[in-house]
Amino acid sequence: MVVSLKEKLYQMFILGTGEYAHTALQNGLGGIIFFTKDIQSIEQFESLITSVKKDSIIPPFLAIDQEGGRVERTENIHHGKKYLSAKFAYEKGEDFLTNQTKEIAKELKSYGINLNFAPCVDTNTNPKNPIIGERAFSSNPDDVIKGEKIVSKIYKDFGIIPCVKHFPGHGDANADSHLTLPKISLSLEEMEKTHIKPFKEAIKGGIEMVMVAHLHCSCFEKDEIPTSLSKNAIDYLRNKLHFDGVVISDDMVMKGVSNFGEVEACLMGIRAGINLFIYRFADKNTIDIIENVHKIALDDVQLQDLIEKSYEKIINLKKKYLYK
């Protein structure tokens, strides 16, 4: 099958559901991310997943943020039963964390989900952190590493791709990147000791997807550029941590990244080394962003090369998990 440049570019996007999702899937969209609003009942959700698969020309990532606690997307189905967040599950002991993760993995697998944006491997060092808190296993990086090993292995055993987030570590932030661009002023040495350490261990353990945060880390960039658009940060991930898998952005509609201009942010991300982007909307605006990037890529050999490389990484990961 000959895959066009446009289809390869569309593979680099995971969108939410919406009126343009169908069109995007037929153009080669990489996948769909499901939120609570998309999951009203088991039958309805299974039928939604079936239609997404039917519309796809390349097997799609069927993705979700199912961490437990306050980030749980299947609550309409559960009718009040909640999974514990990473912190509380970890505090109950390794057996509890293992059993709960198996329960989550089994549930997701039964719907057909093949990618979970979990576990969070942020080390939550800032008690005033408005966005991480109990989503982190611990404020101690060694405990975070233990939690990650358990959770990632279980997802892989169930044929679900785990994705560690939010590189290089959102744990010291004092602001929410959904609303603004948080600034982290720690030295690289401090970042490595506490925040980057769990990512380094996850990569050594064979993790295949890393999500990059919309944070301004002064150890990577003097200017206010988020790590998600920072070539320095992603080069560090590739060259210093030897990560060879898929680098994915956090949601590109978050305020932490949206000040750069929509098409410009996307181009900066590709040039920095992002392979896969999340946009929570499948609206005309999002499709326009992708189409505009495609137009620019037609006359830009370097951009074409980056799209090609990302496409290869995405397809290799899909072959391992989805082509079965």
Side-chain angles (χ1 to χ4, degrees), residues 13-223:
F13 292 83
I14 291 178
L15 307 186
T17 57
E19 65 172 316
Y20 285 83
H22 172 79
T23 313
L25 287 163
Q26 294 190 321
N27 283 334
L29 186 69
I32 295 281
I33 177 170
F34 301 102
F35 293 95
T36 310
K37 67 176 176 57
D38 303 309
I39 309 170
Q40 298 300 327
S41 74
I42 293 173
E43 299 70 31
Q44 165 270 329
F45 188 39
E46 285 172 346
S47 132
L48 174 59
I49 283 184
T50 304
S51 71
V52 167
K53 284 170 144 172
K54 201 171 86 236
D55 287 344
S56 302
I57 59 170
I58 292 170
F61 287 124
L62 299 164
I64 199 164
D65 291 289
Q66 187 84 333
E67 299 170 18
R70 68 172 194 250
V71 181
E72 188 178 312
R73 306 301 189 207
T74 52
E75 55 215 33
N76 293 330
I77 293 175
H78 288 168
H79 309 300
K81 177 186 177 291
K82 294 282 281 179
Y83 295 117
L84 292 187
S85 59
K87 175 183 191 286
F88 298 121
Y90 183 78
E91 283 173 357
K92 276 183 170 285
E94 292 188 6
D95 284 352
F96 183 90
L97 180 63
T98 299
N99 292 332
Q100 173 172 285
T101 308
K102 280 182 179 168
E103 221 180 301
I104 295 174
K106 205 166 151 185
E107 183 190 7
L108 296 182
K109 189 73 183 168
S110 75
Y111 306 136
I113 293 290
N114 54 36
L115 168 58
N116 190 9
F117 296 124
C120 252
V121 297
D122 303 290
T123 305
N124 194 54
T125 48
N126 184 348
K128 292 196 169 73
N129 194 323
I131 186 64
I132 302 301
E134 67 185 58
R135 295 170 65 192
F137 292 109
S138 175
S139 55
N140 175 332
D142 296 327
D143 286 326
V144 174
I145 289 162
K146 279 184 204 156
E148 183 276 325
K149 277 190 167 61
I150 292 168
V151 171
S152 294
K153 182 182 185 310
I154 291 167
Y155 285 131
K156 284 184 176 187
D157 288 348
F158 276 82
I160 294 168
I161 303 161
C163 170
V164 294
K165 58 189 187 184
H166 308 80
F167 181 80
H170 212 306
D172 198 60
N174 60 358
D176 179 350
S177 48
H178 291 85
L179 309 173
T180 182
L181 180 61
K183 186 175 171 61
I184 291 183
S185 309
L186 301 174
S187 67
L188 183 58
E189 193 184 18
E190 285 174 294
M191 283 298 287
E192 285 175 334
K193 201 168 68 195
T194 309
H195 299 281
I196 292 172
K197 194 177 176 184
F199 291 95
K200 187 179 181 178
E201 290 305 312
I203 290 162
K204 276 190 198 161
I207 202 78
E208 292 144 322
M209 190 181 284
V210 174
M211 184 186 289
V212 185
H214 306 313
L215 292 170
H216 174 228
C217 292
S218 56
C219 64
F220 290 121
E221 296 287 349
K222 286 188 182 70
D223 298 329

Side-chain angles (χ1 to χ4, degrees), residues 274-290:
I274 295 279
N275 306 124
L276 195 55
F277 293 93
I278 301 172
Y279 283 80
R280 70 168 51 222
F281 303 119
D283 54 8
K284 186 176 185 306
N285 189 45
T286 311
I287 302 300
D288 287 347
I289 295 169
I290 305 172

